[in-house]
Amino acid sequence: MGVNLREIIPPEAVAEIDLAALRYKVVAIDAYNALYQFLTAIRQPDGTPLMDSRGRVTSHLSGLFYRTINLAEHGIKVVYVFDGKPPEMKYMEIERRKQVKAEAVKKYEEAVKRGDQEAARRYAQMAARLTDEMVRDAKRLLDAMGIPYVQAPAEGEAQAAFMARRGDAWAAASQDYDSLLFGSPRLVRNLAITGRRKLPRKNVYVEVKPELIELDKLLKLLGITREQLIALGILIGTDYNPDGIKGIGPKTALKMVKAHRDPVKLLQGLPRHELQVDPLKIYEYFLNPPATSDYKLEWREPDEKKVYEILVEEHDFSPDRVKNALERLKKAYREHFRGRQMGLDAWLRR
DNA sequence: CTGACTTA
DNA sequence: TAAGTCAGG
């Protein structure tokens, strides 16, 4: 999922931050990334997600609702950015993911048969798929909550980066690093409240704090340009060439991009048979991806009735819990958002 | 993942 | 008040 820069990011480039550091800042959240995380994480020990009485999955709504309210209580102005149509060159990867999920479904069923809860949960997570209906419900819920969302023409991460570059957002938020390649000046990872995360395959929880990666700082520390970072990503693998270049790991890739002042020349010189997609096409895409400026960011007063309809009446959420959370959301709106619509940047540019 | 409740 | 457990839908 996304370009794996983890191994080449120097620890000094990552700053642990407090949610208070994001107060009154606009954060463009990769909606698909967030919803998918809720969908995989919010499950029973045997892997069953939360569902309403008609069997429709509701894990994503639960996560979206409560987390968004938490962020609002911290005065953080979140905007969710939804994926549009992926570029043609992503179809290979999309097909591959479908295969992986189909395999996971089989393994899940086998695990259930032999009563292996842990495996069942693991494979259920792997098999999880975000449906159009889930996305529609998520958008309806955000609308009712008075939280803005933007429909990207293509990749959500590209749209979030575009918004951050223009100053409409302070940072992009996602677990993936792609927004950095797309040029977002800042990336926030681990944007959650309770910082507990279970280590894969272990029964151990570790504290995970939100972290901030600044693009300029990262590039300086690596001693490369954004263009070289994109080339680096292509060498180690992106969603558009998942395998990267055989035999080139993060370290070699960094050396290679440093050795070439012009990343285009480097990419042109790659062995053609190693690549399913023209590396220059990928390079151009990261450098200048489709994005729209046709959006308006407004944090409106929550429509309690609508939220109640969606969560309680349609999806069997507990009335008490929803009412309680709505009170918190209304209070957050009054305290942080009402009469504070424009960020400083937008105000200066008015 | 998060809220609500329990425990020390 | 902090840390732990469990259910939520």
Side-chain angles (χ1 to χ4, degrees):
Chain A
M1 298 292 258
V3 59
N4 188 10
L5 296 185
R6 194 152 39 106
E7 290 171 73
I8 64 116
I9 292 189
E12 313 92 84
V14 182
E16 280 200 351
I17 56 167
D18 225 75
L19 288 173
L22 299 177
R23 175 166 290 197
Y24 301 141
K25 294 200 161 49
V26 177
V27 179
I29 302 181
D30 177 359
Y32 186 93
N33 189 269
L35 293 178
Y36 188 78
Q37 276 190 75
F38 296 140
L39 192 58
T40 53
I42 306 177
R43 278 164 194 271
Q44 291 170 309
D46 67 356
T48 314
L50 300 187
M51 287 183 294
D52 64 22
S53 57
R54 292 173 54 188
R56 293 173 300 195
V57 173
T58 56
S59 296
H60 60 302
L61 295 178
S62 178
L64 183 66
F65 184 56
Y66 294 115
R67 178 176 293 179
T68 302
I69 291 173
N70 272 325
L71 297 176
E73 282 185 310
H74 281 85
I76 303 170
K77 302 168 96 176
V78 301
V79 46
Y80 285 88
V81 182
F82 286 86
D83 281 334
K85 188 175 155 42
E88 284 293 330
M89 58 186 174
K90 197 174 181 176
Y91 280 26
M92 287 282 289
E93 171 64 3
I94 292 171
E95 280 309 310
R96 193 193 59 81
R97 286 180 195 174
K98 274 188 196 160
Q99 300 273 326
V100 170
K101 287 196 188 298
E103 281 300 310
V105 171
K106 276 189 208 160
K107 288 183 175 171
Y108 166 73
E109 283 160 1
E110 285 163 18
V112 170
K113 254 186 217 158
R114 62 172 194 275
D116 186 343
Q117 269 214 354
E118 209 184 291
R121 184 183 165 109
R122 205 163 55 242
Y123 291 123
Q125 285 176 309
M126 278 196 220
R129 240 166 35 86
L130 208 54
T131 65
D132 291 348
E133 187 183 11
M134 291 179 194
V135 171
R136 274 201 303 276
D137 272 352
K139 287 175 177 173
R140 285 175 59 220
L141 178 59
L142 289 172
D143 234 348
M145 292 174 74
I147 303 295
Y149 69 83
V150 172
Q151 176 60 58
E155 300 280 24
E157 300 235 49
Q159 179 67 35
F162 172 83
M163 292 164 66
R165 267 152 73 78
R166 304 177 90 216
D168 289 336
W170 184 78
S174 176
Q175 290 308 98
D176 293 345
Y177 296 99
D178 296 314
S179 62
L180 293 172
L181 268 59
F182 284 124
S184 177
R186 294 179 199 83
L187 166 65
V188 175
R189 301 184 68 245
N190 307 333
L191 185 62
I193 308 305
T194 64
R196 265 162 48 97
R197 186 156 310 167
K198 190 170 174 291
L199 259 41
R201 314 220 45 170
K202 285 183 203 149
N203 239 340
V204 180
Y205 287 85
V206 287
E207 272 290 319
V208 187
K209 287 203 83 182
E211 54 188 44
L212 173 68
I213 300 172
E214 294 183 273
L215 181 57
D216 277 349
K217 191 172 175 183
L218 172 66
L219 295 176
K220 280 210 183 77
L221 282 165
L222 291 175
I224 60 177
T225 63
R226 176 178 160 215
E227 286 76 8
Q228 287 172 305
L229 182 68
I230 295 172
L232 189 155
I234 295 170
L235 292 175
I236 61 182
T238 71
D239 280 350
Y240 316 119
N241 66 319
D243 299 330
I245 307 297
K246 217 193 307 170
I248 301 181
K251 291 217 168 142
T252 312
L254 183 57
K255 276 186 200 149
M256 284 174 72
V257 297
K258 280 188 173 180
H260 291 74
R261 200 160 48 82
D262 183 1
V264 172
K265 294 251 170 60
L266 166 61
L267 294 176
Q268 277 170 337
L270 292 177
R272 299 286 310 170
H273 60 274
E274 285 284 338
L275 291 143
Q276 306 271 3
V277 180
D278 179 1
L280 280 182
K281 209 172 142 190
I282 304 175
Y283 177 82
E284 284 301 327
Y285 194 80
F286 275 116
L287 210 53
N288 200 14
T292 181
S293 56
D294 183 18
Y295 54 80
K296 194 160 30 150
L297 305 186
E298 277 181 347
W299 288 265
R300 291 176 290 100
E301 185 165 15
D303 186 334
E304 292 176 82
K305 196 163 151 284
K306 265 193 202 150
V307 171
Y308 194 88
E309 276 170 18
I310 295 168
L311 294 181
V312 179
E313 289 168 19
E314 283 180 42
H315 293 296
D316 306 316
F317 277 57
S318 146
D320 282 354
R321 278 193 177 211
V322 170
K323 278 181 206 156
N324 222 313
L326 274 171
E327 286 308 314
R328 290 169 50 206
L329 179 60
K330 278 197 296 183
K331 182 155 177 265
Y333 170 78
R334 286 196 305 268
E335 284 182 1
H336 302 304
F337 300 157
R338 189 172 55 190
R340 206 192 281 268
Q341 286 303 333
M342 266 188 277
L344 177 62
D345 199 62
W347 188 80
L348 290 171
R349 288 191 280 117
R350 75 195 186 283

